[in-house]
Amino acid sequence: MLLTVARVGRPHGLRGEVALDVRTDVPQERLVVGARFVTEPAAAGPLEIAHVREAQGRWYVTFAQADDRTAAEGLRGVELLVDSDEDTDDDDDGWYPHELAGLRAEHVADGRPLGEVVGLEHLPAHDVLVLREPDGARTLVPFVEAIVPVVDVAGGRVVLDPPGGLLAADAANLVVSDETRGTGEEA
């Protein structure tokens, strides 16, 4: 299985350098001169790193196949991939999207089913689980320990402690409650 190491961002300068949106916990090991990556889309690669630097927490690379700004702009959005068989990271606190997809989501309080994890999205602030609720609603759940305290891949589940209103079912219950409460006034 192929895993995303980084996504190519905007060009930086005129000589083909690009910013990377890094998806690995070990960029200093993955992003080295001479590293070759298969790509998504496949037609964009393979790509080989010719130059790499890190500045203020951002990673920048130049690929041997793109030595000017125009060529670099053509790589924007391309994902750099590695074979997961090469990945020996045993991080207990990190999961790949393919490990999370299909896990059932349960409520922390009573274990009731909340839906199924159908994906993982990388947003600027933090990752989010894509949850398909029982009614089919698609909900983005912040993938932070306070809301997702348990990830049990072997057990096939994640446990959620969602704040009120996060899930579509919560919002539906609020509307029903407001409609049935009434105003208490007689006409």
Side-chain angles (χ1 to χ4, degrees):
M1 173 162 290
L2 296 174
L3 303 175
T4 303
V5 171
R7 179 175 296 192
V8 178
R10 62 182 172 77
H12 187 77
L14 300 175
R15 299 188 182 181
E17 186 175 61
V18 293
L20 294 180
D21 181 10
V22 176
R23 306 278 195 224
T24 179
D25 291 336
V26 288
Q28 65 281 2
E29 294 175 20
R30 297 272 192 205
L31 304 174
V32 295
V33 172
R36 292 181 60 89
F37 297 95
V38 293
T39 60
E40 178 59 42
L47 294 174
E48 180 178 340
I49 295 179
H51 181 265
V52 63
R53 71 182 179 93
E54 189 241 346
Q56 298 177 346
R58 295 276 302 164
W59 288 83
Y60 301 91
V61 300
T62 304
F63 296 107
Q65 296 78 9
D67 60 356
D68 64 25
R69 185 177 183 91
T70 302
E73 182 63 44
L75 296 175
R76 193 175 202 164
V78 169
E79 292 187 6
L80 306 178
L81 310 170
V82 295
D83 190 341
S84 64
D85 294 340
E86 298 173 10
D87 190 11
T88 58
D89 185 10
D90 291 329
D91 187 3
D92 289 337
D93 215 16
W95 299 273
Y96 294 108
H98 71 274
E99 294 175 302
L100 299 170
L103 297 181
R104 71 184 176 279
E106 301 173 352
H107 197 283
V108 68
D110 54 15
R112 75 178 181 276
L114 298 175
E116 177 184 351
V117 176
V118 294
L120 178 70
E121 291 186 10
H122 306 285
L123 300 182
H126 49 73
D127 292 344
V128 293
L129 292 177
V130 181
L131 182 70
R132 183 176 49 235
E133 294 189 51
D135 67 354
R138 179 181 181 269
T139 303
L140 300 180
V141 177
F143 197 15
V144 295
E145 190 172 357
I147 298 174
V148 187
V150 176
V151 177
D152 180 7
V153 173
R157 69 187 184 116
V158 293
V159 175
L160 304 182
D161 188 7
L166 177 66
L167 303 177
D170 292 343
N173 289 337
L174 290 175
V175 171
V176 169
S177 295
D178 288 343
E179 290 173 357
T180 58
R181 189 174 326 157
T183 62
E185 295 179 17
E186 295 287 325

